[in-house]
């Protein structure tokens, strides 16, 4: 278990170089205040919502223990990354790493990859830090601050809890296949996003 | 007097509700348009619409579901999973500007061949079935990628057309449920013949 956690920490640290030199500034303004802006940001931004759903699906497929780990570690990592983004913001876009994340997570869900819970932790930390950083940088530019980030993390917790719990509770075999089909759709979207990003570049 | 008062109170309550509704309606556009980003919904709708904009696409995608339903597990889910993923690879090639010869003919042949497989109720090895479906999916995806409308949000466009493609497969699988009955098997084979006929018609239109 100790070696597993060590590997998880090393692999998470390896994701830090993925943080781009520039971050995406995309925000939705509800007019209801920064906390609700944060909630609406997650629910209306597929770049953030789809990987969150994919991770929750993966964690759910891997069982209740992995689901519980992802439920707390993923939002916490997102928060830490967001705070880093607030502190050291840069402005720009990072669609290629986002697309790669779609393909990786969707592929793991589609193949129902039998990975250990420690690898779910690695993915949760890496994904959370990366997307959190992008969100924090955007929040900083939009002057929403930590409250907006809090809204995103709260919404993220709810999304992961609902999706992972739903998948854990699935019993009939065809429902598990439906989850894997959803994973394949995420892979497809990721491939197209990658092509679109490379074309734009 | 009391009755008048009640009537007046009820009228006031109704007036307040109407005023509140009017206020919500008046504020609605402000809330709806107060977005930092624009064009996302248009991109999504363009993506949803694109796969159903041509009958050749629609027939081929429904045929994948029909064939999967005829073959049963695991093809019933493996083929509809293969198609969108490989189609997305084709779409990526199209987006990157990689030239693929004979895309239109490939799409038309997908309808002809997939219709024939349904008509013949052909049962090849699973790998071969997936390869056939995947091969044709490249052509469909390439067409989608090349035709991405300018200014559309690439991500929401992609989500829209992957969802529509998957839904078309699901429609095929749903229709394919009738395969469990004798008359249903015949009806499915007849629908395969119809798809092939439509494909031949499209081919004739292209070549004429």
């Amino acid at each position: 278990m100790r070696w597993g956690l060590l590997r998880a920490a090393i692999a998470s640290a390896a994701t830090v170089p993925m943080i781009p030199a520039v971050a995406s500034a995309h925000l939705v303004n509800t007019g209801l205040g920064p906390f609700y802006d944060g909630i609406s940001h997650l629910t209306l931004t597929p770049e953030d919502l789809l990987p969150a759903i994919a991770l929750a699906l993966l964690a759910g497929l891997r069982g209740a223990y992995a689901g519980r780990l992802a439920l707390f570690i993923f939002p916490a990592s997102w928060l830490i990354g967001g705070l880093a983004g607030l502190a050291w913001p840069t402005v720009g876009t990072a669609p290629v790493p986002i697309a790669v994340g779609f393909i990786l997570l969707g592929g793991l869900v589609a193949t129902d990859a039998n990975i250990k819970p420690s690898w779910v932790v690695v993915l949760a930390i890496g994904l959370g830090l990366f997307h959190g950083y992008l969100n924090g940088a955007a929040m900083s530019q939009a002057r929403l601050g930590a409250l907006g980030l809090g809204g995103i993390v709260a919404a993220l917790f709810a999304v992961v809890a609902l999706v992972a719990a739903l998948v854990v509770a699935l019993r009939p075999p065809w429902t598990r296949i439906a989850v894997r089909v959803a994973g394949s759709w995420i892979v497809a979207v990721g491939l197209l996003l990658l092509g679109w990003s490379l074309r734009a570049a | 007097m009391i009755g008048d008062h009640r009537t007046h109170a009820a009228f006031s309550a109704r007036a307040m509700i109407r005023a509140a509704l009017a206020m919500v309606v008046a504020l609605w556009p402000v809330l709806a348009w107060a977005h930092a980003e624009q064009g996302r919904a248009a991109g999504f709708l363009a993506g949803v619409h694109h796969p159903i904009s041509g009958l050749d696409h629609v027939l081929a995608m429904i045929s994948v579901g029909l064939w999967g339903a005829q073959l049963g597990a695991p093809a019933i889910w493996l083929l509809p999973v293969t198609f969108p993923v490989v189609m997305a690879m084709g779409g990526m090639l199209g987006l990157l500007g990689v030239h693929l010869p004979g895309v239109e003919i490939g799409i038309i042949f997908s309808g002809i061949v997939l219709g024939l497989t349904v008509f013949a109720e052909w049962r090849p090895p699973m790998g071969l079935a997936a390869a056939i479906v995947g091969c044709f999916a490249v052509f469909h995806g390439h067409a989608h990628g090349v035709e991405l409308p300018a200014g559309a949000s690439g991500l929401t466009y992609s989500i829209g057309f992957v969802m529509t493609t998957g839904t078309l497969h699901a429609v095929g699988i749903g229709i394919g449920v009738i395969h469990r009955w004798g008359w249903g098997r015949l009806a499915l084979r007849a629908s395969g013949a119809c798809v092939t006929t439509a494909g031949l018609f499209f081919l004739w239109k292209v070549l004429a």
Side-chain angles (χ1 to χ4, degrees):
Chain A
M1 184 64 188
R2 191 179 295 168
W3 279 109
L5 284 174
L6 181 63
R7 280 201 299 269
I10 292 170
S12 302
T15 63
V16 172
M18 282 180 66
I19 294 175
V22 289
S24 180
H26 47 277
L27 284 173
V28 174
N29 189 346
T30 61
L32 299 171
F35 187 80
Y36 290 99
D37 286 351
I39 292 174
S40 65
H41 168 81
L42 185 76
T43 52
L44 294 174
T45 310
E47 290 94 330
D48 290 335
L49 186 61
L50 269 184
I53 290 173
L55 186 82
L57 291 174
L58 179 66
L61 283 175
R62 297 279 53 85
Y65 179 60
R68 279 193 291 270
L69 287 173
L71 178 60
F72 291 101
I73 290 172
F74 189 40
S77 305
W78 199 293
L79 181 64
I80 292 167
L83 292 173
L86 282 171
W88 302 287
T90 52
V91 178
T93 56
V96 173
I98 290 174
V100 172
F102 279 27
I103 295 166
L104 174 67
L105 286 170
L108 289 170
V109 173
T111 56
D112 196 5
N114 190 20
I115 59 172
K116 291 178 181 172
S118 58
W119 281 105
V120 175
V121 170
V122 170
L123 290 167
I125 292 173
L127 200 71
L129 287 174
F130 173 63
H131 282 270
Y133 178 79
L134 293 178
N135 282 174
M139 293 281 164
S140 174
Q141 200 202 23
R143 301 182 187 284
L144 290 178
L147 201 54
L149 190 62
I152 292 177
V153 172
L156 189 68
F157 185 87
V159 167
V160 175
L162 290 171
V163 175
L166 176 70
V167 176
V168 167
L170 295 176
R171 289 291 172 266
W174 70 266
T175 54
R176 205 172 172 87
I177 288 170
V179 172
R180 295 175 67 178
V181 171
S184 75
W185 287 16
I186 293 171
V187 173
V189 171
L191 285 166
L192 289 164
L193 179 61
L194 184 63
W196 176 71
S197 308
L198 293 174
R199 184 177 78 162
Chain B
M1 188 68 180
I2 293 169
D4 286 350
H5 180 70
R6 280 180 183 164
T7 306
H8 181 69
F11 176 76
S12 298
R14 278 201 298 272
M16 282 177 69
I17 290 168
R18 282 176 190 155
L21 283 174
M23 196 185 236
V24 167
V25 171
L27 287 172
W28 200 274
V30 179
L31 291 171
W33 290 105
H35 289 177
E37 292 183 280
Q38 293 178 5
R40 298 208 137 204
F44 177 74
L45 292 175
V48 167
H49 183 254
H50 197 267
I52 53 174
S53 60
L55 195 59
D56 44 357
H57 285 291
V58 173
L59 290 176
M61 290 175 205
I62 290 179
S63 296
V64 171
L66 292 176
W67 195 25
Q70 280 182 329
L71 295 177
I76 195 167
W77 63 270
L78 191 62
L79 296 187
V81 163
T82 302
F83 195 96
V85 172
V86 182
M87 184 189 71
M89 289 178 187
M92 192 168 74
L93 294 177
L95 284 162
L96 293 175
V98 176
H99 179 65
L100 193 64
V103 170
E104 195 59 37
I105 297 292
I107 290 170
I108 291 170
F109 266 99
S110 71
I112 295 171
V113 173
L114 289 169
L116 277 175
T117 59
V118 174
F119 172 66
E121 215 171 320
W122 187 37
R123 294 184 175 276
M126 197 63 258
L128 180 59
I132 291 169
V133 166
C135 181
F136 288 127
V138 173
F139 294 110
H140 286 267
H142 192 276
H144 290 310
V146 168
E147 294 167 14
L148 176 68
S153 163
L155 179 56
T156 51
Y157 177 89
S158 308
I159 293 171
F161 97 68
V162 169
M163 282 174 63
T164 304
T165 302
T167 305
L168 287 172
H169 293 327
V171 167
I173 292 170
I175 295 170
V177 169
I178 62 173
H179 185 255
R180 67 181 66 181
W181 296 292
W183 63 267
R185 281 194 285 277
L186 278 176
L188 280 183
R189 295 182 71 169
S191 66
C194 289
V195 171
T196 299
T197 307
L200 289 170
F201 172 70
F202 294 138
L203 183 65
W204 172 70
K205 273 181 69 178
V206 167
L207 296 177

